[in-house]
């Protein structure tokens, strides 16, 4: 029987520890972690994400600002707002919800955020820090995946991790974290993407398979070997007439059949998803406590 990795349980334990540490930070140093969230336009999924992030701040006792600007907001206005937040000492973390409207250059906006406040870990300085093994903010979803693996005491040293997907938010940073020479990582890593004629030639050799491609039920039981650890980052809507909403959420992995061959597997929902916000909260706490020392 496969271990079903419980992201809700792990994220709740991280959040409850953070809540205690936040009380301590307030009492001992008189500091309250502050997160500024920017949403531009009316993307329904983005609205849900930003609301969840705001709610998480409230539950932990963080200070938060949510700025919701119209779709027509200019790039210059966004850059000016980020500059104000960069200089505001009550704001320790800045998050611009992506995607942005097409007329706004996402890279320019990402570059405008001060690296020491970039709690998403998307700034190229933070990506560079990750690659060369310097302290810095790590992107939340990859960091959450490593926390899950650690919580379930799955050893990565010398193991073959296959990452399906090469996005800037998940695949690339995660692959670069997995091979780092740390106690929790030190794995052998293969990055696999759409150019592979048959990804099964790679995935069948995985001790740990991480899938982040956004294709419903793509990974089937013939993609994996017995005893594999499977981490499913996908969140896909598929039509379901029996559900009230008319759809249900599934991952990139055909869970029911792949779990039969797995040592451990994350479900969707309730696997990786809940970890992302927990890691955002952790990054914001780190930013407020000054633990990452960006002056060096
Ligand atoms: N859009 C989808 N995922 C993310 C994320 O992790 N951070 C931000 N800022 N936008 C996103």
């Amino acid at each position: 029987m496969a271990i079903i990795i419980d992201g809700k349980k792990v994220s709740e334990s991280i959040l409850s520890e953070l809540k205690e540490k936040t009380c301590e930070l307030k009492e001992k140093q008189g500091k309250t972690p502050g997160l500024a969230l920017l949403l531009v336009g009316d993307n329904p999924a983005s609205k849900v994400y930003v609301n969840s992030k705001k709610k998480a701040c409230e539950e932990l006792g963080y200070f938060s600002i949510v700025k919701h600007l119209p779709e027509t907001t200019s790039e210059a206005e966004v850059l000016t707002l980020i500059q104000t937040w960069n200089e505001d000492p009550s704001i320790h973390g800045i998050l611009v919800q992506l995607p942005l409207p097409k007329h706004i250059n996402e890279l320019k906006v990402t570059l405008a955020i001060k690296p020491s406040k970039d709690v998403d870990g998307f700034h190229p300085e933070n990506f560079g820090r990750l690659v060369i093994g310097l302290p810095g903010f790590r992107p939340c979803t990859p960091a959450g995946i490593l926390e899950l693996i650690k919580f379930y005491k799955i050893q990565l040293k010398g193991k073959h991790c296959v990452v399906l997907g090469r996005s800037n938010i998940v695949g690339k940073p995660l692959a670069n974290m997995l091979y780092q020479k740390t106690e929790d990582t030190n794995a052998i890593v293969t990055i696999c993407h759409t150019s592979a004629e048959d990804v099964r030639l790679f995935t069948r050799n995985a001790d740990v398979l991480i899938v982040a491609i956004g294709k419903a039920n793509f990974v089937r039981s013939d993609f994996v070997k017995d005893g594999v650890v499977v981490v499913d980052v996908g969140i896909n809507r598929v039509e379901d007439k029996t559900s009230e909403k008319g759809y249900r959420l599934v991952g990139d992995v055909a869970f029911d059949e792949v779990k039969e061959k797995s040592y451990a597997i994350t479900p969707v929902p309730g696997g990786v998803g809940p970890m992302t916000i927990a890691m955002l909260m952790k990054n914001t706490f780190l930013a407020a406590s000054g633990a990452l020392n960006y002056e060096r």
Side-chain angles (χ1 to χ4, degrees), residues 8-37:
K8 196 158 179 286
K9 182 177 85 178
V10 181
S11 69
E12 279 165 6
S13 111
I14 290 170
L15 290 170
S16 106
E17 191 184 324
L18 276 175
K19 195 168 182 171
E20 275 177 35
K21 283 182 160 175
T22 301
C23 285
E24 243 179 73
L25 188 73
K26 285 183 187 174
E27 278 168 22
K28 294 198 178 137
Q29 295 186 40
K31 266 190 195 165
T32 301
L35 177 64
L37 298 149

Side-chain angles (χ1 to χ4, degrees), residues 15-241:
L15 290 170
S16 106
E17 191 184 324
L18 276 175
K19 195 168 182 171
E20 275 177 35
K21 283 182 160 175
T22 301
C23 285
E24 243 179 73
L25 188 73
K26 285 183 187 174
E27 278 168 22
K28 294 198 178 137
Q29 295 186 40
K31 266 190 195 165
T32 301
L35 177 64
L37 298 149
L38 174 61
L39 172 64
V40 186
D42 291 303
N43 180 317
S46 291
K47 274 188 185 169
V48 173
Y49 288 133
V50 169
N51 277 332
S52 317
K53 289 167 186 176
K54 178 175 188 278
K55 202 164 142 243
C57 285
E58 284 161 6
E59 278 165 14
L60 295 189
Y62 290 9
F63 163 66
S64 66
I65 298 177
V66 178
K67 193 93 184 167
H68 185 182
L69 298 176
E71 185 84 19
T72 50
T73 306
S74 71
E75 186 179 277
E77 283 173 85
V78 169
L79 296 174
T80 303
L81 179 60
I82 290 172
Q83 202 47 43
T84 312
W85 285 343
N86 278 341
E87 287 160 17
D88 182 341
S90 70
I91 304 287
H92 304 99
I94 299 171
L95 183 143
V96 177
Q97 189 64 32
L98 303 177
L100 286 168
K102 287 204 173 58
H103 63 277
I104 301 178
N105 182 324
E106 281 186 2
L107 179 61
K108 240 185 183 175
V109 170
T110 306
L111 282 166
I113 298 171
K114 207 170 161 184
S116 60
K117 296 192 177 189
D118 168 39
V119 285
D120 254 332
F122 292 167
H123 191 290
E125 173 173 335
N126 281 317
F127 196 87
R129 283 173 172 264
L130 183 170
V131 173
I132 63 174
L134 276 182
F137 294 111
R138 306 299 192 237
C140 302
T141 301
I145 292 169
L146 289 186
E147 288 283 338
L148 284 178
I149 288 172
K150 188 175 176 181
F151 188 92
Y152 283 86
K153 298 190 167 44
I154 294 162
Q155 300 290 324
L156 293 179
K157 185 180 176 188
K159 294 283 167 62
H160 184 202
C161 294
V162 176
V163 179
L164 268 196
R166 56 176 159 183
S167 70
N168 290 338
I169 294 185
V170 183
K172 275 185 217 164
L174 179 63
N176 280 279
M177 287 158 87
L178 288 165
Y179 66 72
Q180 294 293 325
K181 202 170 177 180
T182 80
E183 218 169 278
D184 300 331
T185 53
N186 220 349
I188 315 300
V189 180
T190 298
I191 307 174
C192 220
H193 47 78
T194 41
S195 290
E197 225 166 79
D198 186 352
V199 289
R200 290 174 300 184
L201 296 177
F202 303 93
T203 58
R204 280 177 187 147
N205 290 314
D207 298 312
V208 179
L209 176 63
I210 298 126
V211 192
I213 52 174
K215 288 187 185 164
N217 298 319
F218 178 78
V219 170
R220 309 291 301 260
S221 69
D222 63 333
F223 282 54
V224 299
K225 68 178 182 186
D226 279 322
V228 67
V229 172
V230 179
V231 177
D232 188 351
V233 188
I235 305 177
N236 309 290
R237 280 184 185 189
V238 293
E239 192 183 288
D240 181 357
K241 291 199 173 109

